[in-house]
Amino acid sequence: MKRLVTLFLAILVGVSLFPLHALAVDFTINETDIDAYLLEDGNVKVTEFHTYEFDGKFNGITRSLIPKKGTSITDFAASENGTSLEVERDDDTYKVFRSGKNETVTIELSYLIQDGVEVYEDMAQFYWPFFDTSNESDYENFTVTIHPPKMTTNVIAYGLDEAYKTENIDSDGTVVFKMGLVDSGKNGDIRVAYDNALFSAAPMHDGTIRDEIIREEQKLADKEAAFLARQETLRNLAPYVTTVFGLYLLLLLVYGGRKEEMAKREAEHLYHKVSLVPKEMMSMPATILYFRNQVAEHGDMLTAAMMDLVRKGNIEQRENDTFYLVHENTDLEHETLIMDLLFKKIGENRIFSFDQLEKYTKKTTNQETFYKALVEYKQLLKEEIKSHRLLNKHIKPRWITGLISLLLLSLIILFGVHELYMWLVFNLIVLGGLLLFVLVFQTRTVKGQLISLQWQQFKEDFNDLQSSSWYTLPKDDKERALIFSAGLKDKKLQEKNKYFIESNAVGQPDSTANLLALLTLSSTANTSFSSATRTVAQSVNSSSSSGTGVGGGGGGSGAF
């Protein structure tokens, strides 16, 4: 019994968590034909034929019918090939039950619109939205036919939005609105007016309506004429707009390239190689982050930070892979943060080990604190880089380009509104380039180019370095070369460092003891810090992580 209850609860939870979209029915409404028969008493008898093509299992279709004010929907029924189908109503939505799989079906719907025709002293009108912006399905081929009670030639008809200029008036007074493809979320009201004598049995409203209908129809025509005139003006203007803004983007690219090249040439002029390993202008972690274009994993940066603190004597490695905080003397905030994190939050009594790190980061209560410290550490490194003025952000040209981009955005919106889609796409591409310039454009200063040039040259020279030359390097240069290689995660550099250190350790253990310790630390720290930061990042990320037609009315179609 307990097993059955457990199984039931598991199924219940699974269903509740299962994505709703996975249960959605895949279908296309290939064709919709609606015939509205206007009756002498002012009611409207409607027959709809909807052809659905289903891909997969389905249980039926839905039809929403929202009546206009003063009207009501009655006598709703559904059938297929003359066979009645079960219907269930929920407010203004009707569910028609007809199950199947991978079928194309045509469902006939019929209903009566009570008082659908408004009769006035001069004319009678049928003004109705068979769908509105609440409709969530596309109609591939949508047609509405309005049938008067009797033959007549006194007809005024027009459509709005999707129905505009789709009407055709037959000789007997029948009006056909052939709209074709109608996307979801669109309006498409139709308005048809006849002689009021055709509706002798319907109640009559006071006043006349003919002049208003003609006036509204003329407004639509004037509105379209104005739209076409604006469209033509924009079409003529578009090539010049695209050319001007495209040339401006090209000039920005040339400007950026020249600024970068000028700084690079001056840096090359100032560069004088004194030692294989460049002199220290910034802390090693900041140098590594800058060289990696300020994109690096937290684990790599923590490894470099710890190695650099060992090099500077702030940290001392002791037996059993434990580390002791010797002193906290530093002018760099990010080094203070790292020492505080490792030896006070994670370790205790000025002692830190990677076993303590693993235990600390496994506790959920510590993970957010650790993650925030990582983010703050990286930000402090960026602030150190910023203090050396290594990057020129070009604030003024970026602001000017931002303002120009707003102007282009306004024109792009106009192109979209006026259906000039080709020019819209072209200018969106240009706008993307301009916004990219505004958001990320910056060039290295002469000092920035010089640091980059020095360390790039180090990479090239170190790969060709001989053991005899490495042996003559100062101890601090050897250590910084090792830290740079570890922080960069350059396998060739790391293997070369390892070869030099281990080869020279033979017979000279004392002179290379600190290097051997740093070499071991580079591997152990990277493995432990990478594992810890992944665990914390996964934990933190997992925890963070209708309109209607005129006068009311409307509706839409769907399936279930």
Side-chain angles (χ1 to χ4, degrees):
M1 183 65 181
K2 286 184 178 180
R3 289 185 178 181
L4 289 175
V5 172
T6 303
L7 179 62
F8 174 75
L9 289 174
I11 294 172
L12 187 64
V13 171
V15 170
S16 66
L17 295 177
F18 195 73
L20 290 177
H21 62 79
L23 300 174
V25 178
D26 191 3
F27 67 92
T28 303
I29 305 178
N30 291 334
E31 190 167 4
T32 295
D33 289 300
I34 298 178
D35 288 280
Y37 298 90
L38 311 188
L39 307 178
E40 291 184 5
D41 60 2
N43 294 331
V44 181
K45 183 172 179 55
V46 181
T47 303
E48 300 184 356
F49 291 89
H50 298 273
T51 300
Y52 280 70
E53 182 178 345
F54 289 98
D55 183 8
K57 291 183 178 180
F58 62 95
N59 293 308
I61 72 167
T62 63
R63 180 71 167 110
S64 296
L65 297 170
I66 305 172
K68 287 172 56 176
K69 185 177 180 180
T71 69
S72 60
I73 306 293
T74 62
D75 303 334
F76 187 94
S79 63
E80 181 185 14
N81 298 325
T83 302
S84 296
L85 299 174
E86 180 187 351
V87 176
E88 184 179 288
R89 180 178 177 180
D90 182 11
D91 291 331
D92 296 320
T93 299
Y94 299 84
K95 297 176 72 174
V96 179
F97 290 85
R98 198 298 198 181
S99 60
K101 181 180 180 181
N102 298 327
E103 289 186 61
T104 297
V105 299
T106 299
I107 305 298
E108 179 183 351
L109 309 177
S110 63
Y111 54 91
L112 190 70
I113 305 175
Q114 295 279 357
D115 301 318
V117 178
E118 302 168 73
V119 182
Y120 291 86
E121 295 174 4
D122 56 349
M123 297 196 81
Q125 71 170 357
F126 179 57
Y127 196 178
W128 195 261
F130 284 100
F131 59 86
D132 72 331
T133 56
S134 67
N135 175 40
E136 297 180 351
S137 304
D138 296 339
Y139 293 111
E140 296 292 325
N141 191 7
F142 195 94
T143 303
V144 178
T145 304
I146 310 301
H147 303 269
K150 298 177 183 177
M151 288 183 59
T152 182
T153 55
N154 186 14
V155 185
I156 302 174
Y158 61 84
L160 287 76
D161 300 315
E162 296 299 297
Y164 183 66
K165 297 196 80 171
T166 65
E167 73 278 359
N168 182 62
I169 303 175
D170 292 342
S171 58
D172 63 353
T174 300
V175 182
V176 180
F177 291 87
K178 202 166 187 62
M179 303 181 204
L181 173 64
V182 175
D183 292 325
S184 61
K186 299 290 186 179
N187 281 322
D189 302 351
I190 62 168
R191 193 173 193 179
V192 180
Y194 294 103
D195 190 335
N196 65 352
L198 296 174
F199 304 93
S200 56
M204 184 178 293
H205 299 276
D206 294 333
T208 59
I209 198 173
R210 181 185 178 86
D211 291 343
E212 179 199 333
I213 293 174
I214 294 174
R215 188 164 55 248
E216 291 299 319
E217 186 178 20
Q218 186 59 46
K219 279 185 180 179
L220 288 174
D222 293 343
K223 184 178 178 181
E224 186 195 24
F227 173 85
L228 293 174
R230 292 193 305 273
Q231 186 186 58
E232 186 62 25
T233 300
L234 286 169
R235 182 181 284 111
N236 294 332
L237 184 64
Y240 300 102
V241 169
T242 307
T243 301
V244 169
F245 285 99
L247 286 174
Y248 180 73
L249 177 59
L250 184 61
L251 287 173
L252 289 177
L253 296 175
V254 173
Y255 166 82
R258 285 191 62 189
K259 287 291 184 182
E260 187 80 15
E261 186 63 28
M262 288 170 63
K264 187 176 181 180
R265 286 182 182 178
E266 190 171 348
E268 289 172 348
H269 178 71
L270 294 174
Y271 176 60
H272 298 289
K273 184 176 176 182
V274 178
S275 173
L276 173 73
V277 183
K279 69 176 183 177
E280 191 170 1
M281 296 187 190
M282 295 188 294
S283 68
M284 288 308 299
T287 301
I288 292 165
L289 186 62
Y290 172 71
F291 196 82
R292 292 182 64 166
N293 296 315
Q294 302 196 34
V295 178
E297 295 178 4
H298 291 300
D300 299 340
M301 299 315 303
L302 287 176
T303 300
M306 192 169 180
M307 291 174 70
D308 205 36
L309 287 170
V310 170
R311 174 182 75 91
K312 290 180 175 182
N314 295 84
I315 299 174
E316 181 182 289
Q317 184 171 1
R318 295 187 174 178
E319 70 283 347
N320 301 324
D321 291 329
T322 59
F323 298 85
Y324 180 73
L325 181 61
V326 179
H327 66 83
E328 301 176 55
N329 301 332
T330 178
D331 295 327
L332 298 172
E333 289 185 54
H334 59 78
E335 291 184 341
T336 300
L337 184 147
I338 287 298
M339 288 186 283
D340 183 67
L341 175 66
L342 298 184
F343 292 91
K344 296 179 182 179
K345 288 188 172 68
I346 298 174
E348 55 184 11
N349 298 324
R350 303 176 75 86
I351 293 175
F352 165 81
S353 70
F354 292 112
D355 288 338
Q356 289 174 317
L357 173 67
E358 185 179 2
K359 291 176 183 177
Y360 181 86
T361 53
K362 278 185 176 180
K363 289 185 179 180
T364 307
T365 53
N366 297 329
Q367 290 171 347
E368 188 172 354
T369 301
F370 187 74
Y371 186 78
K372 286 181 178 178
L374 297 180
V375 173
E376 186 182 356
Y377 173 67
K378 202 166 185 179
Q379 184 58 39
L380 289 173
L381 285 178
K382 290 180 179 180
E383 288 179 12
E384 184 189 351
I385 294 171
K386 185 178 179 181
S387 70
H388 286 271
R389 301 182 184 279
L390 305 182
L391 297 171
N392 187 347
K393 294 187 178 294
H394 303 279
I395 300 299
K396 187 175 180 180
R398 286 168 69 180
W399 268 104
I400 293 172
T401 302
L403 295 174
I404 289 173
S405 299
L406 289 177
L407 175 60
L408 179 57
L409 178 61
S410 302
L411 291 169
I412 287 173
I413 292 172
L414 287 176
F415 290 148
V417 169
H418 291 84
E419 300 175 2
L420 300 172
Y421 300 120
M422 180 184 74
W423 296 112
L424 180 145
V425 172
F426 287 164
N427 285 278
L428 274 177
I429 294 172
V430 175
L431 179 64
L434 295 177
L435 291 177
L436 198 62
F437 180 89
V438 171
L439 295 173
V440 303
F441 177 71
Q442 55 188 9
T443 58
R444 291 188 175 101
T445 61
V446 175
K447 184 178 179 181
Q449 288 283 6
L450 185 59
I451 291 176
S452 180
L453 176 64
Q454 289 174 335
W455 284 101
Q456 184 60 42
Q457 191 64 48
F458 160 79
K459 280 185 63 179
E460 296 172 8
D461 293 344
F462 196 80
N463 283 321
D464 299 324
L465 190 67
Q466 301 300 314
S467 296
S468 57
S469 299
W470 180 86
Y471 183 75
T472 61
L473 289 175
K475 174 176 172 291
D476 190 66
D477 282 7
K478 292 175 183 176
E479 291 173 348
R480 288 192 298 115
L482 177 58
I483 294 169
F484 183 78
S485 303
L488 217 60
K489 293 188 83 169
D490 187 305
K491 289 186 177 180
K492 285 186 178 180
L493 291 180
Q494 288 176 302
E495 288 298 321
K496 194 92 175 192
N497 272 288
K498 183 180 179 182
Y499 169 76
F500 285 148
I501 294 169
E502 292 180 345
S503 296
N504 283 272
V506 178
Q508 305 177 64
D510 294 335
S511 63
T512 56
N514 204 44
L515 283 169
L516 282 168
L518 280 177
L519 182 64
T520 303
L521 176 60
S522 68
S523 175
T524 307
N526 188 264
T527 301
S528 298
F529 282 133
S530 295
S531 176
T533 54
R534 276 196 303 270
T535 300
V536 170
Q538 289 170 0
S539 174
V540 172
N541 290 336
S542 64
S543 62
S544 45
S545 18
S546 113
T548 59
V550 62
S557 299
F560 64 99

